[in-house]
Amino acid sequence: MTAAPPRPRILLSSPDVGEREQELVAEAIASGWIAPLGPKVDEFEARMAERCGRGHAVALSSGTAALHLALLELGARAGTAVIVPTMTFAATANAVVYTGAEPVFVDCDPETGLLSPELLERALGELTAEGTRVAAVVPVDLLGRSADYPRLDAICERYGVPVLADAAEALGASCAGRPAGSYGHAAALSFNGNKIMTTSGGGMLLTDDGALADRVRYLSTQARQPAVHYEHTEIGYNYRLSNVLAALGLAQLERLDGMIGRRRALREQYAAAFAGVPGASVFQRAGDAADNCWLTAVLVDPETAGWSSDDLRTFLDGAGIESRPLWKPMHRQPVFAGARSFLDGSADHLFATGLTLPSGSALTAEQVETVFRALGTFLGERR
Ligand SMILES: *Cc1c(COP(=O)(O)O)cnc(C)c1O
């Protein structure tokens, strides 16, 4: 018997980049427009604004940069609060801290993991009553499912607080017939390497507010006043996206629907694999037709199942397959210890029971087979 050759680890969500990306990046380099800006950036912004149904798009170096600059423009600063779901990636809360504002964490719907409208209402009520100014509410489109904007918008409007949509995970999804990124006074997208599409690193601010888009463009290019000697009247940032990376984004955008289709097919396959397994269910499965299926997760009730999400994670790890718990809630993060929070235990419960599974559109047929064979073995042994 000969030993099987070592196989690379199967990851949750790897970049899906091929010939078309190489072609457009080579074109950008050949054109001489390398950095910082150029025609590919303009085209990328125009295409993305169109795709998301927005008047303006500003290409930036990351999704975090888009959140940071939008928050600054919405008036987040020391002495103000910004409401953030506790069930999110740290970038949402970090951007708030960059502005000097205080992040206030609010729990989620126990089924969807999305910002709870009831608890948001309670948080806004309490903060407003005590005279704390809330600069913005930042709903997060968790794992590619849009937040409940119709309800959240109505609540925020009553309190006169603007919505900044963190749509970093949700490009291509929609909510009530409108695309992700079209909600909120402004929205942030991410093109990080693990997202539904990538520029290797990048992000975008979307808005219908032309003045806001202009201000974000200005702040993201070091806040240079139009003078030959670069006059500066305020602090700027170096947050723009390069022309070469915008070319990568254009190729990815052409392929976006195909990549979403592959992730959706994996979602279907996981749903079939867990169908009839006691105590296990696919997260956000109900009503997922409008989601982009960025990551598929399974929720495991260990009492009913007789095994836990961590048992599955350990087993998959041994088979060279990456899986990961849902986002550790922000109120549990040491760096945010003591932060003000409005909680009901839902995020804690999802964190304890949820496991995200390989969901990337670049997975090969062989890798998919390896994942489902391992999953079948694990479930078979526990029947
Ligand atoms: C990825 C992500 C971000 C940050 O995007 P970057 O481009 O990595 O800075 C922000 N919010 C959420 C919810 C994310 O998943």
Side-chain angles (χ1 to χ4, degrees), residues 15 65 71 85 108 119 146 162 175 183 238 242 253 255 305 330 377:
L71 285 168
C108 61
L119 287 175
S146 288
C175 170
Y183 283 94
N238 184 7
S242 89
L253 186 53
R255 298 180 46 235
M330 290 304 110
T377 304

Side-chain angles (χ1 to χ4, degrees), residues 303-382:
E303 305 256 300
T304 313
W307 50 276
S308 69
S309 57
D310 203 54
D311 293 335
L312 176 57
R313 191 191 58 74
T314 306
F315 181 89
L316 292 175
D317 188 52
I321 299 164
E322 182 186 36
S323 63
R324 200 185 287 275
L326 290 175
W327 300 128
K328 179 172 180 175
M330 290 304 110
H331 72 273
R332 293 279 173 204
Q333 297 288 356
V335 72
F336 293 119
R340 189 135 176 210
S341 307
F342 292 81
L343 306 171
D344 66 4
S346 297
D348 281 340
H349 184 71
L350 287 173
F351 176 59
T353 57
L355 187 72
T356 53
L357 301 164
S359 307
S361 53
L363 289 172
T364 64
E366 194 198 339
Q367 287 177 318
V368 171
E369 202 189 308
T370 302
V371 170
F372 283 94
R373 202 180 321 110
L375 193 54
T377 304
F378 177 86
L379 294 174
E381 284 172 359
R382 277 152 194 83

Side-chain angles (χ1 to χ4, degrees), residues 87 108-114 142-145 169 267 270-271 274 280-288 291 293 295-300 326-327 346 349-351 353-357:
M87 177 50 79
C108 61
D109 178 277
E111 296 295 316
T112 62
L114 300 168
L142 189 71
L143 307 193
R145 157 80 49 106
E169 302 174 2
R267 169 75 57 94
Y270 282 119
F274 287 110
S281 59
V282 169
F283 181 51
Q284 297 178 336
R285 176 65 176 156
D288 68 0
D291 301 0
C293 302
L295 291 182
T296 293
V298 63
L299 301 179
V300 182
L326 290 175
W327 300 128
S346 297
H349 184 71
L350 287 173
F351 176 59
T353 57
L355 187 72
T356 53
L357 301 164

Side-chain angles (χ1 to χ4, degrees), residues 150-177:
R151 279 186 74 191
L152 300 175
D153 283 351
I155 295 166
C156 291
E157 207 166 298
R158 239 183 302 120
Y159 285 90
V161 175
V163 170
L164 169 60
D166 182 344
E169 302 174 2
L171 176 63
S174 63
C175 170

